[in-house]
Amino acid sequence: MQFSNDFLWGAASASYQIEGAYLEDGKGENIWDAYCQESGHVAHGENGNVACDHYHRFREDVKMMQKMGIKNYRFSISWTRILPNGTGAVNQKGIQFYSDLVDALLEAGITPMVTLFHWDYPYALHQKGGWLNPESSDWFVDYAKVVVDALSDRVTYWMTINEPQVFIGCGYAIGKFAPFQKLPVRDLAQMCHNVLLAHGKTVKMIRECAKKTPKIGFAFSTPCTTPTDNSPLAIEIARQKSFAFTRERFTFETAWWADPIFLGDYPQDAYSVLKSDMPNIKEGDMELISQPVDFYGVNIYYSQAEENPNAYVENDYMGCPRTQMGWPVTPEALYWGPKFLFERYGKPILISENGMASHDWVQLDGKVHDPGRIDYMKRYLRELHRAMQDGTEVMGYMYWSIMDNFEWADGYDKRFGLVYVDYRTQERTIKDSGYFYQTVIETNGETIF
Ligand code: GCO
């Protein structure tokens, strides 16, 4: 059994998590640079100042990807490497870095997939109110235009924004991620609206300005719920929960973000639940937000049970297998998540992230044996394949992550990579799962069965 011939196999990363070189060659400060320095936010007081030093080692890293047979590489652009103050002066050295990276990838036969924003928000703009500032969506599109002008002669795949659910929810609602704030609901809702505007305006701009015909999407997270059994009732409950709207968790809800893009309006429940806390929606906003996109990029790790008050009822049973993050191993999330999204929004799905952290280390034989990750990939990919056989359109799968990296507030302990990184020496070791993934890609999926 194989995947379709045009299925996109790849792996993903994000600028702040791997690049390092945090103030080099003219890069400006972002909110993670600024707030990691304050104690108490990140495990062991760690930060992304050096990370995987990918900024200096990208050529070596691209060779490694080539060795692993990676065909597509999803990475993000650091806004302040391009515009140190978020707006205004352009830093040519920043552009050069990404331009060189794109060239190196193409030379290695790897298709670049660009995410324009993966959480490293310019500190200078944060000080001007960040996403709450009415100009914030224009700041974003101006930045994105610089990137599109520089790279769209070679880049086809664009993702505007990574997981707004998480950077708004964790960054501004629960204060777990930079800038570690807890804002009132009214402000959060307005921020979300501005992020959606930034997305929509950018889709429009890419469509108008890209030199190569673009394929445009985003990378959202999804609190997907999977049915407890295969009865129509259980499936319907899971479907409804997957698109529910609650005041407590609204910044994380799928329908809150995706309905405006695909259906042109916030879910009706949002109006009745948020009432006067709804954002200020100006005339024309919804048209901008609902610019047609080409695919629905989604990061799926597990089906939502952890945050469920009745946690033990669903996938999260007593003693269930868990990754190093503590997340339950729920392969059926890659069946139901894409299926529900495809049914509701009708766009091909790109699994823009899926993967697991595990307790990896270089073993006595000099190798990194991670059989748990191989089993995880097999199980999840089988479910994805099953979804495709049942009619869900799926474009591709990006393993998170190409290499171990800075896992935000968890620092460096959590290892998601196909490649092990020794942060003392920056030595890279391809894990067993990296070699396994190579066979998956080479056989177009046969080795997962
Ligand atoms: C996210 C981000 C990644 C994370 C990964 C594991 O989805 O949270 O896109 O940056 O590192 O998901 O937590």
Side-chain angles (χ1 to χ4, degrees), residues 14 17 118-119 162-163 166 299 301 325 327 353 400 405 407-408 416:
Q17 296 182 272
H118 199 127
W119 307 358
N162 179 76
E163 293 196 358
V166 177
N299 303 344
Y301 290 88
M325 294 295 279
W327 298 347
E353 290 178 23
W400 181 273
N405 59 45
E407 179 55 25
W408 309 113
F416 276 90

Side-chain angles (χ1 to χ4, degrees), residues 189-354:
Q190 189 60 48
M191 280 185 152
C192 295
H193 189 69
N194 292 341
V195 170
L196 281 169
L197 275 173
H199 159 81
K201 289 181 184 178
T202 302
V203 173
K204 190 162 180 276
M205 178 277 293
I206 300 175
R207 209 64 86 197
E208 284 163 7
C209 303
K211 294 167 198 150
K212 274 182 82 178
T213 306
K215 288 203 188 300
I216 314 172
F218 47 71
F220 280 2
S221 65
T222 180
C224 74
T225 304
T226 49
T228 42
D229 58 58
N230 275 330
S231 68
L233 179 64
I235 293 171
E236 190 47 34
I237 291 172
R239 183 183 286 115
Q240 282 181 18
K241 277 187 81 174
S242 294
F243 299 103
F245 186 89
T246 60
R247 187 177 171 91
E248 298 67 42
R249 295 184 37 82
F250 80 96
T251 62
F252 294 98
E253 308 282 23
T254 293
W256 167 252
W257 292 98
D259 279 15
I261 294 178
F262 295 100
L263 310 179
D265 199 358
Y266 288 102
Q268 280 314 305
D269 287 354
Y271 291 93
S272 50
V273 170
L274 291 186
K275 299 195 173 77
S276 60
D277 286 329
M278 276 299 280
N280 172 21
I281 304 171
K282 293 195 301 301
E283 210 191 315
D285 281 4
M286 286 331 233
E287 284 71 40
L288 275 172
I289 290 172
S290 58
Q291 296 295 307
V293 294
D294 300 301
F295 61 92
Y296 192 121
V298 63
N299 303 344
I300 301 182
Y301 290 88
Y302 57 94
S303 51
Q304 208 71 9
E306 208 183 36
E307 271 102 340
N308 187 315
N310 307 312
Y312 282 111
V313 178
E314 298 183 3
N315 298 298
D316 193 1
Y317 54 90
M318 201 179 292
C320 78
R322 289 179 187 281
T323 71
Q324 192 197 15
M325 294 295 279
W327 298 347
V329 178
T330 59
E332 62 278 21
L334 273 200
Y335 179 84
W336 294 104
K339 179 179 164 64
F340 288 156
L341 291 173
F342 184 64
E343 279 173 0
R344 186 174 176 101
Y345 301 120
K347 286 288 169 186
I349 306 294
L350 175 71
I351 304 300
S352 36
E353 290 178 23
N354 169 253

